[in-house]
Amino acid sequence: MNSTTLNIAKFGGTSVADFAAMQNCAKIVASNPATRVVVVSASAGVTNYLVDLANNELTTEQINNTIASIEKIEFAILEKLNDNAATQLELQSLLSELSELAHNTKNLQTDEGKDALLCMGERMSSLLFTEVLKQEGCAALNFDARRVIKTDSQFGQGTPDIEQIADHAKQLMAPALAEQVLVTQGFIGSDSNNKTTTLGRGGSDYTAALLAEALNAQTCEIWTDVIGVYTTDPRITNKARPLPELSFDEAAEMATFGAKVLHPATMVPALRKNIRVFVGSSREPEKGGTWIAKDCSQEPYYRAITRRKDQVMVTVKTPSMLYASGFLSHVFGILAKHQISVDLVTTSEISVSLTIDNPPNSVRKKINQQIIKDLREICEVVVEEGFDLVTVVGNNMHSEAGVSSRIFQALNAHNLRMICYGANPHNMSFLVKEDTSNQVVTDLHSELFE
Ligand code: ASP
Ligand code: MG
């Protein structure tokens, strides 16, 4: 290994969905001698099944059917391997562990129990992908990420301990990289008691960036099913086009505000260590992709439009809020106690509106009756669902006359429930009814990019 260049390659769920997809990934790994660490997601669909099981609301029959669906995905890959007897034993042992955890409904009442189950998808895909790599002629070893990705004990949303991760990666991973490629699991880690934790949905990208940081890599590749990051989601408008470059700041905004290609925290380690991040398609690597770096050749006013679905708006209102100090801290105190993470806030004289991200299959806490009840003790509360958040990501949108007016012009015909503008020069966000968001994005795209 040339010690001056190290690349971490991460393959997402669709890239490791089946044997043929894994073969594409193996070729990508083999073609770049700098790639010494591979991070994999669970095969597409598996984590969703595991979340269904972890939610602990299924009948025994439903549990068995869900496990059968997972087994089908894993065995279809196993069967395509040439010499698979030993791997089959390992896979079967992981599946029995999974089954035991899935039926242990008492254990699943805790977030700790849920994480023990949620980690199974990555543990199976890394086992299988290691074998696919070997079959492609690449010396590879399956490495348990939990030995290195140390986190706090916030199960479901562990916070990584950067220093420990760096220490462990240097001790346990770096020396092995000369001999073989280490294949490890995204998304999972362990706390100080060696209990399994997870980094939140989509967390495999974050794992890759954390390892890139810990091992002083120059680049981190995120291989997925699209040829880079687009001006907007191509499923919303076919005028969307891939972006050759993005700045760290823009990418971080896009990820936070709904661009599905990157986990929002991914850019944090990249930024700290100035690691260039690449996003491309493992099915079509020859098509190139998006490079995300500190400095771009251009910093356009408008770079992209993102949409985040499933937003809940909570409006809290009290006449006594007028000039009352401490009201907001009360509200946020209640939300914090229930581990609710608030995204946008707008205030008016007697009311405050907040948005909360509420996607299905999320492990994040959702607003529930108890939280509403707690809030009602200090104010009136209205909860409205069915919103999407549309965000224009760019640069210096505040500073130049006419830059924001073009955005409002495009939105003339739309009803905007909440506008957030000003907290940061890279973003301007609008809360709109979910049935209008396609049109909002399309209109903005046509005004700003076409
Ligand atoms: N498998 C996890 C998920 O689906 C993590 C990831 O794919 O990044 O959320
Ligand atoms: Mg992902």
Side-chain angles (χ1 to χ4, degrees), residues 184-434:
T184 194
Q185 309 80 31
F187 178 57
I188 73 176
S190 70
D191 73 357
S192 56
N193 298 317
N194 293 325
K195 299 278 184 210
T196 300
T197 56
T198 59
L199 303 177
R201 291 305 306 267
S204 294
D205 302 337
Y206 192 22
T207 304
L210 287 166
L211 291 177
E213 173 178 42
L215 293 164
N216 292 319
Q218 287 69 40
T219 51
C220 177
E221 297 170 347
I222 306 290
W223 293 99
T224 170
D225 55 359
V226 286
I227 52 173
V229 183
Y230 279 65
T231 47
T232 196
D233 186 338
R235 283 165 300 193
I236 303 178
T237 162
N238 58 14
K239 302 274 169 53
R241 51 171 201 270
L243 294 160
E245 62 167 11
L246 273 178
S247 70
F248 285 147
D249 287 333
E250 293 166 341
E253 287 304 313
M254 289 184 71
T256 308
F257 287 94
K260 285 278 155 50
V261 278
L262 274 181
H263 183 275
T266 313
M267 299 320 300
V268 178
L271 215 129
R272 275 195 297 257
K273 283 282 192 76
N274 199 9
I275 300 159
R276 299 201 314 138
V277 175
F278 171 84
V279 179
S281 163
S282 61
R283 227 177 325 149
E284 304 173 293
E286 69 288 349
K287 292 217 166 137
T290 304
W291 276 103
I292 307 169
K294 190 155 155 259
D295 299 307
C296 289
S297 59
Q298 284 180 36
E299 286 203 343
Y301 290 133
Y302 319 111
R303 182 73 88 179
I305 303 159
T306 59
R307 173 179 68 180
R308 208 163 66 181
K309 298 187 72 64
D310 302 297
Q311 305 298 296
V312 175
M313 179 159 82
V314 179
T315 303
V316 291
K317 189 171 164 187
T318 165
S320 62
M321 177 187 153
L322 204 58
Y323 307 119
S325 60
F327 171 68
L328 270 185
S329 88
H330 255 103
V331 169
F332 280 95
I334 292 169
L335 294 170
K337 189 183 92 194
H338 291 283
Q339 292 177 312
I340 291 283
S341 143
V342 172
D343 288 314
L344 299 186
V345 185
T346 55
T347 59
S348 69
E349 196 111 287
I350 59 162
S351 67
V352 178
S353 296
L354 319 157
T355 68
I356 293 163
D357 203 23
N358 196 32
N361 285 315
S362 166
V363 280
R364 275 168 111 186
K365 293 281 180 322
K366 298 189 174 175
I367 190 107
N368 59 33
Q369 287 308 320
Q370 184 57 47
I371 304 174
I372 296 170
K373 197 168 151 245
D374 286 0
L375 287 170
R376 287 220 164 108
E377 286 182 8
I378 59 164
C379 55
E380 285 170 40
V381 184
V382 180
V383 179
E384 293 169 84
E385 297 189 22
F387 291 105
D388 290 351
L389 188 71
V390 174
T391 301
V392 179
V393 174
N395 298 280
N396 303 316
M397 284 188 281
H398 310 157
S399 55
E400 306 279 333
V403 176
S404 54
S405 60
R406 256 184 86 188
I407 295 175
F408 284 108
Q409 215 169 307
L411 295 174
N412 222 347
H414 296 287
N415 181 17
L416 312 172
R417 274 309 295 274
M418 200 162 156
I419 301 173
C420 273
Y421 173 40
N424 146 346
H426 299 291
N427 129 14
M428 193 158 169
S429 293
F430 309 93
L431 195 71
V432 300
K433 271 283 175 203
E434 64 187 1

Side-chain angles (χ1 to χ4, degrees), residues 129-131 133-134 138-142 179-183:
F129 185 65
T130 306
E131 295 308 311
L133 258 185
K134 287 198 220 160
C138 187
L141 185 75
N142 186 17
E179 303 297 321
Q180 71 270 88
V181 171
L182 294 185
V183 177

